[in-house]
Amino acid sequence: MARKVVFGATLGSAVIFMIIGVILWGGFNWGMEATNTEPFCISCHEMKDNVYNEYVGTIHDANRSGVKATCPDCHVPRPWLHKMKRKIQASNEVLHKILGTVDTPEKFDAHRLTMARRVWKAMKDSDSRECRNCHDWDTMDPSKQQPRARNQHKFAMENGNTCIDCHKGIAHSPAHTQISEEELNEWAKPVAAYKTELPEPFKEGLARAEAAEAKAAEEAQEEAKKEREKRKAEISAQKQRIQDAVEKALTAERARLGAGGDAAAQPQAAVEAARGFGVAWDQVPERMIPLFYPGQTSMEWTLVGKYHGGARPFKMGDRCTTCHEKETADMGAKMVSGDKAETTPIPGKRPGIPVTVQAAHDGDNLYLRFQWEEGEHVAIPFVDGGKMDPENAVKLALMLSTDEVKYAGQSGCWGTCHHDLRNMPEHPEDPSAVAGQLDVSQGITKYIAASRTEIEEKGRRGAVLGGWDKLKDQAEIEAALASGQFMDLLRWNSSGTVENGHVLEQRVMDDKGPLEAQGWLEGGYWTVEIKRPLAASTAGDLPLEAGKLYNFGFAIHDDFSDSRFHHVSLGYRLGLDNPEADVNVVKAEVSAPAAAPVQAAASAAAAAATPEVGAAVDEGIDWDKVDERLVTLFYPGQTSMEWTLVGKYHGGSRPFMMGDRCTTCHDKETADMGAKMVGGDKAETSPIPGKRPGIPVSVQATHDKENLYLRFQWEEGEHVAVPFVDGGKMDPENPVKLALMLSTDEVQYAGQAGCWGTCHHDLRHMPEHPEDPSAVAGQLDVSQGITKYIAASRTEIEEKGRRGAVLGGWDKLKDQAEIEAALASGQFMDLLRWNSSGAVENGHVLEQRVMNDKGPVSAHGTLEGGYWTLVIKRPLAADNPGDLPLEAGKLYNFGFAIHDDFSDSRFHHVSLGYRLGLDNPEAEINVIAQ
């Protein structure tokens, strides 16, 4: 090999050089790869203590698919030349490591924006090359994306935007919130070279998504309609039963009085006893709690995985309601049929009982009201006569406890039910042989773990579940009772008896604590009211105090049942004036109950069941011939028109400024948006705990030759007290208000955002509202603060907050002549509002909100079966400058809002902006002729 020469070197030398080269290259490549790992990246504390800590837990660190992107995946290019360039640039970072430029959190934050800009530029210049290592237009499936995401991706492809334009701060602290709107827009400018045709798979995914959403919307609309009709039918049937019962009683009373007697003139006590304890229940929110038949699902049963699939989550701390609150009917159906945990099924027994629960107090007493529908009698095949407790058609029992009782915080009163109680699988054949201090005359009754030395919860090595015979001594039991380790037990029996007791070592009834209860059956519905002091008078009573949460569960023995053959609730939280409680015990007016004439009572009951506000305005309209559109209103928080235009607040500001409508991205995600606002996670500084995030509303529109008719239908919500308002109600006179606005495209932003252009960052209850607007109000009425206005009335509106400027422009008012000219030219929002107190207002918005500008409008609202129905009628023609004429062949901008639950001002639920037109299939709200 020494004699052969290649390029002036012997072959042997060449081989040696090649080996050395491979070793050197291998070492170099090993070094490159070693510095391309997450452990290397966080080997210096500057990275580990700052950006790495921010990255941990983000979507790139941990997610449902388990695909992890580490530091070099995002920050080191894969192509060799680009990788080498990045490694050379890293020498600058080594220099600053030596200099200690960012060696403390304070220094790091001071330089954060500089470093972020450097990364943004690298990603912008490379069309987000490192993002595309994992994410690619060609493999995106928009049918699995949220509507906003898929529209943004489509927008980016068509306009030449890249990933980093929208996804700054996705893995680290959002430094982009520190820069101005102008700079943010500069960073997000599209690049023509980045434009791309929509890939075919993406187009196919869009088609799938649109088809699926159209089908889902149709199904949701139909389901909502069915539910409304069902609820209305139920309440109608209930009213009829009440009416029949009253008529039957009147007939009997007339017969008793003789032909000359006047039953209607007799006191109601002749037909029905004075009922209730004088609580103004119409002021108290209702909660529907579904009871279900539990079979033999004891506390131990729930803890054994082979019986109960939720055993592990429960032992990790989950409450029963977490998984089961929406499926109690299905659970009960499995039990009554004997498919699960029931060895003695009763054919025909109903699986569940929906119960309406209300809770109130007057400072001294707790009042509870339960209402449910009577069931049909089902004879029990294994009991003589078919009735377990012939004396009591119905019993209602409830338990209260603190978290001192084991499992109570998760499962309510379930911890009192064990596998060795009477009629349960492990009940002893002869408990009297070892009962000791227990009363076992009726078998083993309920007990809690605090009274036993041990309870077998797992059935290990064939052990019997439960622990009835592992009783602690009497001193320990008395100590447990004194320390609050008991279940306070109250029971009402339809035979007339009332029992006050507790559960500890066994069920003890009549422990002498004061209790009152009444129950009656009317119109096929049972009503039971219970009254007990908030204070505790005996060791077996639980004192109830404000500021605390208590565990609450209840059961109904219906249809003459007894023992475990009842229907039970899951465990709920009860608290006094506490919106966080599942059952909120609110302060209510309580007066001495007074008897009333039967006819008056029947009329009052009918009025309470179906409140009507206003006179019918849609006579002759057949709503069955009018299409429905389901529009989901959402809680908007403080998202003003200016807020939507500032990129650091609203990621869709750029598409909006390019011409996109709000519905393009958000039409299918309003409920999610509302959830962020009501939770205070976004754009809300005064969240109201428990406020519902959205209201699905069915909208119908029709017209005759002269008038427009609009019908809105939505489900009534539960009352949630507003914590920062005395009495919890912003507008006590109006449980509900509905307002709608109409405009042409003459109004700025109306074509894209509907009525959003009337909402500004300096209105009352908004962040930039002036402290004293009266000082410079001029021709504005500021008695209630700054109200809605539109841009046409101002010389300037600050939309970007440049150089710290206040958003909005309430004080930049044009002169009166210019405002009148704008009104005459159609630059206004036509505003209509119905109030459940009966008032109907016709107005407009221009320089401010003007109500009652004399335009003719009428409205009629009813609450029936838990659903509000509102019909609004207004002329198609315009009778004054504040009214918008509606003509065929044109499209108008339409938006509406509902102030529910006594709310006011900005604390409403709002729609996005839609298009309305007369006999126009292109309109989103098509007003068809009739």
Side-chain angles (χ1 to χ4, degrees), residues 288-294 324-325 327-333 350-357 370-372 395-397 413-414 552-558 566-572:
M288 182 69 79
I289 294 181
L291 306 194
F292 67 101
Y293 183 69
H324 298 307
E325 186 173 22
E327 59 179 24
T328 50
D330 294 336
M331 289 155 53
R350 54 177 170 173
I353 305 176
V355 183
T356 298
V357 181
F370 305 86
Q371 294 179 296
W372 70 95
K395 301 189 287 278
L396 184 144
C413 53
W414 222 268
F552 166 77
F554 67 103
I556 291 174
H557 283 96
D558 80 325
H566 50 5
H567 292 84
V568 300
S569 76
L570 299 173
Y572 294 87

Side-chain angles (χ1 to χ4, degrees), residues 506-549:
Q506 60 187 342
R507 189 183 63 190
V508 178
M509 304 307 292
D510 294 319
D511 56 11
K512 311 308 178 187
L515 176 69
E516 298 177 64
Q518 297 180 20
W520 59 90
L521 176 64
E522 184 175 46
Y525 276 78
W526 281 102
T527 298
V528 173
E529 292 191 21
I530 292 176
K531 173 185 176 183
R532 63 145 276 183
L534 296 175
S537 57
T538 73
D541 286 350
L542 184 69
L544 303 178
E545 304 171 13
K548 293 184 178 180
L549 286 173

Side-chain angles (χ1 to χ4, degrees), residues 276-344:
F277 301 104
V279 179
W281 289 112
D282 58 342
Q283 302 173 10
V284 180
E286 296 181 358
R287 168 147 192 161
M288 182 69 79
I289 294 181
L291 306 194
F292 67 101
Y293 183 69
Q296 294 171 311
T297 54
S298 66
M299 191 67 240
E300 292 80 25
W301 184 95
T302 66
L303 295 168
V304 178
K306 64 181 178 182
Y307 301 142
H308 176 217
R312 286 173 292 279
F314 183 88
K315 284 182 279 193
M316 292 290 287
D318 273 9
R319 296 174 63 198
C320 297
T321 52
T322 305
C323 289
H324 298 307
E325 186 173 22
K326 305 299 184 189
E327 59 179 24
T328 50
D330 294 336
M331 289 155 53
K334 291 180 180 178
M335 311 294 180
V336 294
S337 63
D339 292 340
K340 192 168 189 177
E342 178 54 270
T343 58
T344 314

